[in-house]
Amino acid sequence: DSSNQLKNDEFYWEISDYSWSPDSKWIAYSFVQPNRNSKIFLYSLDSGKSTPVTDEFYDNLNPSFDANGDYLYFLSYRHFSARMDVFEDNHVIPNPVQVMAMQLKAGQKPPFFKPADEAEKKETKESKAPKEAKEPKGLFRIDLDGIRDRAFVLPVSAGNYFFLKAGKGCVTWASREDFGENEYEQIFTPGGRRVWDVHIFDMADEKEIVIDKKINDWRLSANREQMIVQSGTDYCVGTVDKAFSSKSTGEALDLDRMIYRVVPREEWAQIFNDAWRWYRDFFYDPGMHGRDWKKMGESYRAYLPQLTSRQDLNWLLSQMVGELCVSHTYISGGDGGPQKSPDNPVNTGYLGAELEATPSGFYRLKTIFGPTEYARELEGPLVRPDIAAKEGDYLIAIDGKEIRTPANPYAHLQVIRGQKVSVTINDKPAAAGARTYVVETVVSEYDLRYQRWIADNIKKIAEASGGEIGYMHITAMSSDNTAQFDKYWRAFKYKKGIIVDVRGNGGGWTEYFLVDKLEREMVAKNCLKNMVPFEYPPGASSAHYAVLTNEYNGSDGEAFVEHFKARELGTVIGVPSWGGLVGILNGQTTIDNGTVHQSNNSFYGAAGNWLIENHGADPDILVENDPASAMAGRDKQLDTAIEVLMKQIKEQPAVFPEKPPYPKR
């Protein structure tokens, strides 16, 4: 069977969930349908025919045959019970998956049947006796007629379930309490972290247990009676029955004497060939951007004998895929050998301050960074109620040693984590009258400086606009960044203008979450007695929008700009973006745990043109922050956005009709 239908552009690629029947004459598998839900199919090797055993109304995955031959189990996304957002404009389906059991033979009582009287209880108990007592051993059959009507929900709670594997008279699956961004690419295969709970459900006892520790992965033996479990660095083996009764992972294997031998040059040749082939098979353009890919492989393969390290191989592969002149051609990782740099516990400590040399010979605290109104959780070493330090004060000494220009003050801030230092500060460039405080430095000032920049921008825009324009900066496009957007959206959506800054955006995949909010329009005013009418729907805004973009805005940040422009939501200001929108999914792992990403996910617009790649998303108004302006502390792109929005607010006020007269009855 084959299909070129994608489920989505995030996690689904090849057929990854199939199961052989106990007699090896049937294969169960799922295939995605045009509505992006997957059907379960059964393929008969005897007849050569495939039969769908579910429809596409629900999304069904992970079919697996019970070793006893009684059931086909699968996971079904059919539990639509919503959890509401406190802000009244979002919802999530928190536990969408139910475990299903499909009877393979017709004419049997349904599983989980509750008998009405003693006679029926006896009959039901006998029907659950081992099949070998009633049928010839090894007999397996599937009655296809009416099989769709013989699918039953297991009597367990719905949840976030994954990786179903049927045992012998039982079924196992993994769960996570919350579905997060990492799980999108782990629908079929665990990603290697110890985060999963394993469930075992015994069909005879109709009982579910959860193994008592988190695991990375697990496998069942060919006869489905044994299981091997990875939990952290431990590998444990035991019977499924014992795991069910004890809720434990089994006995840990001793791997201390396990060794393997590697012939690096042979391994590097295999990795090279794999990478070349993955690009041949998965690169988005079948024409390989006009390159003769076979010849390209031969040319670069000739360098293999000259390699002296695994890092050399990554460099060689990067040069080869770089010939395609496209973004997201990421080659990384691999087994670099046992070498390890010695641990260095010393790091440069930072005071959370911008130091400025002065003619007096002392450094001045030009700027002191600490918590802001929008990030109170930050801690600045010099921002404490018991420290009387202010911007403009002078740094006199560190640990009692006087600090004078042009000496590097950070030479005296070489510390280990947790080490405290004393700093001497004065409001004049002299030691007399100075104050000394004991502080703990920070390893990085990035968050402190970034949040100060955000706060300064918000303050500047509010002052320039009379409080009529809000501001947000979105650092990337992931689940965390949808929350970052919401943080400022909730605060500023009722202002007359909003600046959305995606300069330096690191990309991701969630840009359309943001656009969904921006393009939601107010359609009414909601009026209650003696109350000011408010916008309906409550998540809408009537603000004018401006977007800031620059050459460091990449990937999904660029898609946001293109999407924003396509929906005609406002004005884009800045310079063309990075120019990389042929994205990646289905990254391949090399034999030595390196990673090869192929640029395989491209976009074209309604006009029939490829978007952004090797060009960037163009602004409506071209404004560059030149070095002279930056040195002067001026943000020309931000200034232009304020000017544009203030003009729009003045010339195109968002006027909603006055409240109409109340009706008379």
Side-chain angles (χ1 to χ4, degrees), residues 337-618:
Q339 298 86 5
K340 182 182 178 183
S341 300
D343 293 330
N344 181 8
V346 177
N347 63 268
T348 299
Y350 294 92
L351 297 173
E354 184 80 41
L355 301 180
E356 179 183 49
T358 68
S360 68
F362 287 100
Y363 288 96
R364 183 168 58 197
L365 304 176
K366 180 181 178 182
T367 309
I368 298 177
F369 304 105
T372 71
E373 181 180 349
Y374 316 105
R376 297 304 306 172
E377 71 279 4
L378 293 177
E379 295 182 2
L382 300 179
V383 182
R384 294 191 337 224
D386 59 330
I387 295 179
K390 62 183 184 301
E391 293 179 353
D393 283 352
Y394 293 86
L395 176 63
I396 306 300
I398 297 175
D399 283 339
K401 298 176 182 177
E402 188 175 74
I403 306 299
R404 290 279 196 157
T405 62
N408 184 351
Y410 295 103
H412 301 276
L413 290 170
Q414 302 302 301
V415 298
I416 61 173
R417 191 175 294 274
Q419 179 181 341
K420 292 179 171 54
V421 299
S422 65
V423 293
T424 303
I425 297 170
N426 204 348
D427 53 10
K428 57 182 181 293
R435 309 171 300 278
T436 298
Y437 305 101
V438 176
V439 302
E440 184 173 336
T441 59
V442 293
V443 175
S444 169
E445 291 177 339
Y446 177 85
D447 287 340
L448 290 165
R449 289 174 176 266
Y450 173 73
Q451 291 298 337
R452 175 64 176 265
W453 179 71
I454 293 291
D456 286 348
N457 283 348
I458 292 174
K459 180 181 178 182
K460 173 182 177 179
I461 293 166
E463 290 175 350
S465 67
E468 293 187 333
I469 300 177
Y471 169 86
M472 66 177 75
H473 180 256
I474 308 301
T475 55
M477 296 293 176
S478 71
S479 59
D480 288 342
N481 302 112
T482 61
Q484 186 181 33
F485 172 87
D486 261 22
K487 171 180 173 179
Y488 295 99
W489 176 250
R490 303 293 171 191
F492 298 139
K493 65 183 176 181
Y494 294 133
K495 289 188 177 293
K496 295 179 180 179
I498 299 176
I499 297 171
V500 183
D501 190 347
V502 290
R503 293 176 295 182
N505 188 282
W509 64 279
T510 61
E511 62 84 17
Y512 55 89
F513 286 57
L514 280 57
V515 172
D516 281 351
K517 291 286 179 64
L518 293 172
E519 67 181 356
R520 190 178 296 178
E521 296 182 352
M522 182 176 67
V523 298
K525 287 270 188 145
N526 196 343
C527 190
L528 286 77
K529 185 176 181 179
N530 296 329
M531 298 295 170
V532 175
F534 61 91
E535 290 80 354
Y536 183 86
S541 173
S542 57
H544 296 281
Y545 303 130
V547 162
L548 296 181
T549 185
N550 67 359
E551 66 272 33
Y552 301 113
N553 173 25
S555 194
D556 204 52
E558 303 177 273
F560 170 79
V561 174
E562 204 68 46
H563 196 167
F564 183 88
K565 289 169 60 178
R567 300 301 295 161
E568 299 180 348
L569 295 176
T571 307
V572 179
I573 298 159
V575 297
S577 55
W578 177 53
L581 199 61
V582 180
I584 47 177
L585 67 154
N586 194 40
Q588 301 290 337
T589 302
T590 64
I591 191 174
D592 65 345
N593 289 315
T595 303
V596 175
H597 284 288
Q598 318 90 46
S599 309
N600 48 25
N601 184 13
S602 56
F603 296 79
Y604 66 89
N609 58 310
W610 295 107
L611 297 178
I612 295 174
E613 187 65 37
N614 281 324
H615 179 81
D618 288 315

Side-chain angles (χ1 to χ4, degrees), residues 257-277:
R257 297 177 63 190
M258 178 180 282
I259 62 172
Y260 67 93
R261 299 183 183 277
V262 174
V263 181
R265 292 193 181 280
E266 293 180 7
E267 191 171 87
W268 297 345
Q270 176 180 335
I271 293 167
F272 181 94
N273 292 332
D274 284 343
W276 178 88
R277 177 173 52 83

